[in-house]
């Protein structure tokens, strides 16, 4: 996976993983139908960016390591 470089720090990664998993669990447990799966998928994607350490939206905005700030 050399096509990216990490652009978020360690604490930011941990927060993304925890919040992403929490949103996915809340989506599946408390919501119903297609909305539940869309929220769960969004949470899983957010957690995945934390696990990988790369945020595509941050990269496009120039935010993060080596970026604007």
């Amino acid at each position: 996976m050399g096509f990216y470089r990490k652009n978020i720090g360690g604490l930011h990664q941990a927060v993304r993983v925890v919040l992403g998993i929490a949103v996915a669990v809340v989506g599946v447990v408390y919501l119903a139908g297609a909305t539940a799966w869309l929220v769960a998928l969004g949470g899983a994607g957010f957690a995945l960016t934390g696990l990988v350490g790369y945020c595509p939206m941050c990269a496009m905005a120039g935010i993060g390591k080596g970026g604007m700030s």
Side-chain angles (χ1 to χ4, degrees):
M1 285 205 208
F3 64 92
Y4 71 92
R5 74 174 183 221
K6 288 187 172 189
N7 65 350
I8 56 177
L11 180 62
H12 193 162
Q13 283 181 271
V15 169
R16 278 179 172 262
V17 170
V18 170
L19 284 178
I21 291 171
V23 166
V25 168
V26 166
V28 171
V29 172
Y30 291 109
L31 299 176
T35 304
W37 294 109
L38 288 174
V39 170
L41 185 62
F46 196 70
L48 183 63
T49 61
L51 284 173
V52 173
Y54 178 75
C55 174
M57 297 306 287
C58 296
M60 288 191 321
I63 300 169
K65 293 181 178 176
M68 290 167 41
S69 169

